[in-house]
Amino acid sequence: MTISDFTLYELQKATRNHGMPLEGLAYDVTPIGMHYVLVHYDVPYVSATTWRLQIDGRVARSLVLSLDDIRSRPRATKRVTMECAGNGRARLTPRPRSQPWLEEAVSTGEWTGIPLASLLQEAGIHDDAVEVVFTGLDRGEQQGHQQLYQRALPVEEALRPDVLLAFELNGIALPPQHGFPLRLIVPGWYGMTNVKWLSRITVLDKPFWGYQQNVFYRIAAHEDDPGIQLSRMYPRSLMIPPGIPAFETRERLVPPGTITLRGRAWSGWAPISRVEVSADSGATWAEAELGAPSGIETWRTWSFRWTATEGRHELLSRATDAAGNVQPLEPVWNVHGVANNAVQRVIVAVRPDIEG
Ligand SMILES: Nc1nc2c(c(=O)[nH]1)N[C@H]1C(S)=C(S)[C@@H](COP(=O)(O)O)O[C@H]1N2
Ligand SMILES: [Mo]
């Protein structure tokens, strides 16, 4: 990869949106400010006093709620790992034109809010309800489609007890870039599901059609391929960068000897059941030790004792979940550059002059 490969178009996005520096994998909960950010259009300015949430469509009673109304209800807090579906996009050749993530578009937040199901029950959703549409306040144009940011969930998913309408991240009011004053949190699903700056929740008796649902966020082999709509996160494992970085290349420098490699793995389909590590570019693999089990909601820690010998090495880690999904060794290209969960490759130079 050379920097000149990247276009001004991508740089404009990369300077607005930011990833989690991978040393942030050391934290169970990503500190605010290190949590990755992805904003399609502009961060809307929202006044907490005039903002309202509207719930309508196939419901017995439409509701209009203020932030105080929402905050006064029984609340719940959930630790949730969120990953952008475009994570890994910049590794594809040719590179689809969008936010050029390498591997850093993942974080874990502690989200506080009210269960979505409680509001839907209060509104009384009709038996013919099929999907629930979430509309944000942000608006823009993408591929000629002018739109408010909208995504839908099947009713069964919307009624899951762990789905939240969140007004806090890590114990403070949502920062503007993370969706102030209210956002959706759907554990296990890719980032685009978690609609920020929510203004409206609409219950439909037929499937929703929208740009962010049916055009983008599909794994499609070519533009006209209907492909598959994305939902849950495919498994991925990442390593806390070992040793120290070289400023120019960000290659890792470590002294010879035994070191413990550590990282995190997650999957939205089933709990992580296995992580393997290769210290020879994938020729041989060995089992990493897994930390405490986690469900589909949060990442799981892993560790691996590695005897570093002088020279350059390519370190890989590969996650498998309990449903049998495993990370591919090579990226699988698709039009929008989504769901590329190919294994990460970390180049390490082992040198005796590096201080331990
Ligand atoms: N309203 C709205 N919601 C949105 C987005 C957006 O652009 N507008 N981006 C989505 C995408 S693609 C991702 S990956 C997550 C990112 O959430 P974060 O910025 O809080 O990490 O928000 C999702 N929710
Ligand atoms: Mo995303």
Side-chain angles (χ1 to χ4, degrees), residues 35-38 40 84 138 149 178 183 191 194 196-197 217:
H35 195 292
Y36 86 89
V37 171
L38 192 294
H40 283 241
C84 181
D138 51 327
Y149 186 91
H178 292 297
R183 79 176 303 174
N194 304 288
K196 304 192 266 193
W197 314 294
Y217 296 118

Side-chain angles (χ1 to χ4, degrees), residues 111-251:
W111 303 96
T112 298
I114 61 169
L116 169 65
S118 65
L119 276 195
L120 292 176
Q121 275 145 16
E122 190 175 321
I125 57 174
H126 290 316
D127 290 343
D128 60 5
V130 173
E131 289 200 352
V132 183
V133 185
F134 302 86
T135 305
L137 288 166
D138 51 327
R139 200 161 56 89
E141 192 181 70
Q142 203 172 342
Q143 286 191 308
H145 295 259
Q146 202 188 123
Q147 59 190 286
L148 289 158
Y149 186 91
Q150 289 186 306
R151 287 274 313 176
L153 278 177
V155 166
E156 322 78 81
E157 294 288 327
L159 290 174
R160 269 167 49 186
D162 58 341
V163 170
L164 292 183
L165 297 174
F167 45 76
E168 285 182 7
L169 170 59
N170 298 3
I172 65 161
L174 288 186
Q177 67 274 29
H178 292 297
F180 180 85
L182 194 73
R183 79 176 303 174
L184 181 63
I185 293 291
V186 183
W189 284 50
Y190 275 119
M192 73 285 166
T193 317
N194 304 288
V195 179
K196 304 192 266 193
W197 314 294
L198 270 178
S199 65
R200 191 168 178 189
I201 298 175
T202 308
V203 180
L204 298 185
D205 60 4
K206 54 179 179 305
F208 169 71
W209 192 96
Y211 177 85
Q212 306 294 348
Q213 196 87 24
N214 305 81
V215 184
F216 211 73
Y217 296 118
R218 285 177 304 125
I219 305 178
H222 53 84
E223 276 299 341
D224 301 325
D225 174 12
I228 15 171
Q229 273 189 34
L230 289 172
S231 57
R232 292 168 184 274
M233 301 181 288
Y234 294 104
R236 189 195 296 275
S237 165
L238 294 178
M239 191 181 296
I240 300 174
I244 58 170
F247 176 75
E248 292 81 5
T249 60
R250 295 214 58 86
E251 251 182 48

Side-chain angles (χ1 to χ4, degrees), residues 256-317:
T258 304
I259 64 165
T260 303
L261 304 172
R262 296 178 192 283
R264 310 249 177 195
W266 63 93
S267 167
W269 294 97
I272 289 295
S273 56
R274 182 180 197 195
V275 172
E276 301 152 281
V277 172
S278 171
D280 53 12
S281 309
T284 61
W285 295 86
E287 298 290 324
E289 202 171 308
L290 292 176
S294 58
I296 55 129
E297 303 200 348
T298 46
W299 51 25
R300 186 173 187 181
T301 57
W302 59 262
S303 62
F304 183 83
R305 296 280 285 170
W306 178 47
T307 306
T309 54
E310 234 176 292
R312 274 164 67 88
H313 306 272
E314 193 179 48
L315 305 182
L316 280 61
S317 67

